[in-house]
Amino acid sequence: NILLISGLAVILNRKAITLASTYIYIDLHFLLGSFIYFYVIAYDGKISLFESFMGIVIFLIYSVYLIKGGVLSTTEHEAVHELKEGKSKFPLKYFFLLVLAGAGIYFGAEYTISSLDKIATQIKVPHSIVALTLLSLGTTLPELAVNVSAIKQGKIEMTIGNILGSCIFNTLVIPSLAPLFGSINVPTNLLAFSLPFMAACG
């Protein structure tokens, strides 16, 4: 997300991206903080339930801060005003599309994990390496599709917000929920290179 998607976003946008001050002083710092947090809890090779709980707390603080501190732009104010004037019907069509997409993601994830397990076994490499390459790329492609669509509509800030939000969510919430389904042991090959590299990307 940070290296590939943000790089492609600048290339597809065909001009420099100017970040608002909130991205620089709030989101980027929070992203760096979430990376440091994950680095600390994963460095000993094991993520405990208490450590994961703290990740959810930090993400909730971040979410509440964003919601309370969010300021609508003039264009957004106009859009909200138009929605109030129009018919306030529940978008049933989009709700069903959302449910259908969620079901597709679930079954897709099942097939993805089983396929990657077989690939790792066949080529005799650690599962963590396959996850770092094939799995990470596969799960990033939907992000790329959404961001390309946003760029085409001239909403480049939405792209940057998506990148930062996804990274913060993945770093804080995913490792926090995973221990509920089993213990997390961080492989040594991730501790030696991948974890420091992720911290450097922040």
Side-chain angles (χ1 to χ4, degrees), residues 3-179:
L3 301 178
L4 178 64
I5 304 301
S6 59
L8 288 175
V10 177
I11 293 172
L12 293 174
N13 194 50
R14 297 182 180 179
K15 57 182 179 181
I17 298 175
T18 303
L19 297 178
S21 58
T22 52
Y23 283 122
I24 298 173
Y25 295 111
I26 299 174
D27 299 279
L28 283 176
H29 283 83
F30 223 100
L31 176 65
L32 182 59
S34 66
F35 278 0
I36 294 173
Y37 160 79
F38 184 74
Y39 188 90
V40 169
I41 67 171
Y43 194 74
D44 61 354
K46 189 175 182 179
I47 300 178
S48 66
L49 192 61
F50 173 74
E51 290 172 337
S52 61
F53 174 75
M54 290 304 299
I56 294 180
V57 172
I58 295 172
F59 183 77
L60 288 176
I61 293 173
Y62 171 67
S63 300
V64 171
Y65 181 83
L66 286 183
I67 293 171
K68 286 189 175 182
V71 179
L72 293 177
S73 64
T74 306
T75 307
E76 289 171 329
H77 273 299
E78 292 174 355
V80 171
H81 183 68
E82 289 176 1
L83 285 174
K84 288 181 178 180
E85 290 183 345
K87 297 179 180 180
S88 57
K89 290 183 179 180
F90 183 78
L92 196 61
K93 172 186 174 183
Y94 297 103
F95 176 77
F96 282 120
L97 287 174
L98 181 62
V99 172
L100 186 63
I105 291 172
Y106 173 79
F107 289 108
E110 291 288 327
Y111 284 112
T112 299
I113 297 302
S114 61
S115 300
L116 287 173
D117 181 54
K118 292 177 181 177
I119 290 173
T121 304
Q122 288 292 328
I123 62 178
K124 298 179 180 179
V125 297
H127 289 78
S128 58
I129 299 300
V130 177
L132 277 170
T133 52
L134 297 178
L135 180 58
S136 61
L137 180 60
T139 54
T140 303
L141 290 178
E143 299 275 357
L144 178 60
V146 171
N147 290 334
V148 168
S149 177
I151 291 170
K152 287 182 178 179
Q153 297 179 36
K155 300 175 181 178
I156 189 62
E157 282 202 355
M158 184 179 291
T159 299
I160 303 302
N162 182 33
I163 294 170
L164 296 175
S166 295
C167 290
I168 293 171
F169 181 86
N170 287 339
T171 307
L172 295 177
V173 178
I174 302 303
S176 301
L177 296 179

Side-chain angles (χ1 to χ4, degrees), residues 176-202:
S176 301
L177 296 179
L180 298 177
F181 303 94
S183 60
I184 296 182
N185 295 314
V186 184
T188 54
N189 58 339
L190 297 186
L191 292 173
F193 175 74
S194 304
L195 198 60
F197 191 83
M198 185 193 77
C201 290

